[in-house]
Amino acid sequence: MQVRNDWTREEIQALYEQPFLDLVFEAQRAHREHFEANMIQVSTLLSIKTGKCPEDCKYCSQSVHYDSKLEAEKRIAVDKVISEAKEALESGSSRFCMGAAWRNPHERDMPYVLEMVREVKALGLETCMTLGMLNESQAGRLHEAGLDYYNHNLDTSREYYSHIISTRTFDDRLNTLDHVRNVGMKVCSGGIVGLGENRNDRIGLLQELATLPAHPESVPINMLVPIEGTPLVDVEKLDVTEWIRTIAVARIIMPLSYIRLSAGREALTDSDQALAFMAGANSLFSGEKLLTTPNAGEGKDKQLFNKLGLKAEKAKATAAELSVDAMAS
């Protein structure tokens, strides 16, 4: 399958509106062309600084603009982060993601996050961070410290974006992705469905992602988790099949990307998740919580993997382990 960066809305709409089973079949075929069929990449996400974010994202409990009853927390100590990363490694995660409720990291924060990246990377885990907007200097330093991925979601279509957030523009988000790419780091970028958008907006989001100069290596497709106190608490719930359609189209038009089940997964049945994997999802967050929202726990995931015959990708060996292996050979 040819990798393209020139997808039109009309082409994506035609894919999206296929009979559901035809779409899922095509997505699974694309998946097997580029990935091992029953292998899932497992990540763990930790909030390293929670709450009081100055942004006004209408879905987010961490925004200072809304009364979600979330208790704000200062940034946590590096040794606590390392302890959590070790637990993630032992539980089968291959990537450790760290998120801070910032509009952008201040220079005073950089030594803290750089130390964290180095320490987690030394464990043999892939590293990912989501810290808000970055300038190119910050992106470069994170890359030099060993950060593998930077997460910065587009959230929704360009047309619907202003209905969701006003404190940061759509182009601000694209600029951060450019900075990440320019320094040689991998991109993690996707969006959220179920924000009250229509199908054209979901198509628009996918087109934005699939026509970037390079596709994001990781594409999270979140389902809104309505949170009390936020403006979207009463939005009508999106049908699960529409979420799975979005996943399937993402797999077809970005065939080399990991497509991740993220927020909203805790509400899926095992059958729903099996269908999402059939539609090309091959990455997920494991653990009890995603920053501040509930998630399917590690124990449930192990049961699900056993039931479906799925395997988790292995983490890379640490530098120490590689050295031992080299001496043994």
Side-chain angles (χ1 to χ4, degrees), residues 147-255:
L147 190 65
D148 296 297
Y149 288 82
Y150 193 77
N151 167 259
H152 203 60
N153 290 333
L154 297 184
D155 283 355
T156 189
S157 70
R158 181 181 289 273
E159 294 82 2
Y160 195 66
Y161 185 85
S162 62
H163 294 271
I164 302 303
I165 179 172
S166 68
T167 50
R168 182 193 317 184
T169 69
F170 196 83
D171 286 326
D172 285 336
R173 292 181 182 266
L174 292 175
N175 288 340
T176 290
L177 296 184
D178 283 344
H179 296 326
V180 170
R181 276 285 182 226
N182 289 343
V183 301
M185 203 156 28
K186 294 177 182 177
V187 167
C188 174
S189 187
I192 308 170
V193 299
L195 297 171
E197 81 286 348
N198 59 36
R199 181 176 282 188
N200 286 336
D201 293 309
R202 293 187 282 280
I203 291 168
L205 167 66
L206 292 173
Q207 187 197 22
E208 291 282 354
L209 294 167
T211 55
L212 289 169
H215 296 163
E217 284 82 359
S218 182
V219 180
I221 305 293
N222 299 272
M223 172 80 95
L224 175 70
V225 178
I227 297 171
E228 288 291 337
T230 63
L232 296 183
V233 64
D234 293 322
V235 71
E236 184 178 353
K237 185 176 181 180
L238 188 71
D239 189 90
V240 168
T241 57
E242 192 73 6
W243 187 11
I244 294 174
R245 278 187 185 274
T246 309
I247 289 167
V249 175
R251 165 53 65 220
I252 294 166
I253 65 178
M254 294 176 280

Side-chain angles (χ1 to χ4, degrees), residues 12-302:
I12 296 172
Q13 182 176 350
L15 288 171
Y16 212 109
E17 294 180 349
Q18 289 184 86
F20 182 76
L21 295 181
D22 291 348
L23 174 60
V24 170
F25 178 79
E26 185 174 347
Q28 179 62 201
R29 187 166 55 185
H31 172 68
R32 288 173 182 250
E33 188 173 334
H34 299 285
F35 290 95
E36 189 170 340
N38 296 300
M39 192 69 71
I40 305 293
Q41 188 279 318
V42 178
S43 297
T44 296
L45 176 60
L46 176 69
S47 178
I48 60 174
K49 187 272 178 185
T50 303
K52 293 189 176 180
C53 179
E55 305 281 24
D56 67 352
C57 308
K58 291 184 178 179
Y59 53 80
C60 187
S61 64
Q62 301 203 62
S63 173
V64 74
H65 297 266
Y66 315 124
D67 184 16
S68 67
K69 309 302 181 186
L70 177 72
E71 186 173 338
E73 299 174 3
K74 295 180 180 179
R75 66 187 200 184
I76 64 177
V78 173
D79 59 355
K80 171 65 173 173
V81 175
I82 302 312
S83 176
E84 295 280 350
K86 288 179 179 177
E87 289 185 16
L89 181 61
E90 291 171 1
S91 71
S93 289
S94 62
R95 188 179 309 162
F96 192 70
C97 306
M98 296 153 276
W102 293 327
R103 174 176 170 80
N104 54 274
H106 295 288
E107 281 306 307
R108 64 177 178 271
D109 301 310
M110 291 304 293
Y112 165 71
V113 296
L114 294 175
E115 179 185 3
M116 200 176 298
V117 170
R118 295 186 192 102
E119 293 288 340
V120 173
K121 183 75 172 178
L123 298 175
L125 285 159
E126 287 186 321
T127 53
C128 180
M129 280 190 159
T130 179
L131 311 172
M133 293 184 289
L134 293 181
N135 60 42
E136 195 151 325
S137 170
Q138 291 169 330
R141 282 175 280 166
L142 286 166
H143 181 51
E144 289 171 6
L147 190 65
D148 296 297
Y149 288 82
Y150 193 77
N151 167 259
H152 203 60
N153 290 333
L154 297 184
D155 283 355
T156 189
S157 70
R158 181 181 289 273
E159 294 82 2
Y160 195 66
Y161 185 85
S162 62
H163 294 271
I164 302 303
I165 179 172
S166 68
T167 50
R168 182 193 317 184
T169 69
F170 196 83
D171 286 326
D172 285 336
R173 292 181 182 266
L174 292 175
N175 288 340
T176 290
L177 296 184
D178 283 344
H179 296 326
V180 170
R181 276 285 182 226
N182 289 343
V183 301
M185 203 156 28
K186 294 177 182 177
V187 167
C188 174
S189 187
I192 308 170
V193 299
L195 297 171
E197 81 286 348
N198 59 36
R199 181 176 282 188
N200 286 336
D201 293 309
R202 293 187 282 280
I203 291 168
L205 167 66
L206 292 173
Q207 187 197 22
E208 291 282 354
L209 294 167
T211 55
L212 289 169
H215 296 163
E217 284 82 359
S218 182
V219 180
I221 305 293
N222 299 272
M223 172 80 95
L224 175 70
V225 178
I227 297 171
E228 288 291 337
T230 63
L232 296 183
V233 64
D234 293 322
V235 71
E236 184 178 353
K237 185 176 181 180
L238 188 71
D239 189 90
V240 168
T241 57
E242 192 73 6
W243 187 11
I244 294 174
R245 278 187 185 274
T246 309
I247 289 167
V249 175
R251 165 53 65 220
I252 294 166
I253 65 178
M254 294 176 280
L256 301 181
S257 303
Y258 282 88
I259 308 298
R260 176 180 296 149
L261 287 176
S262 297
R265 187 170 70 91
E266 84 291 340
L268 295 181
T269 66
D270 286 356
S271 297
D272 290 336
Q273 291 190 73
L275 194 53
F277 296 138
M278 191 69 185
N282 63 336
S283 176
L284 56 78
F285 276 124
S286 190
E288 300 296 333
K289 189 164 67 171
L290 298 182
L291 296 181
T292 63
T293 57
N295 185 44
E298 174 194 332
K300 289 183 180 179
D301 286 337
K302 287 184 177 178

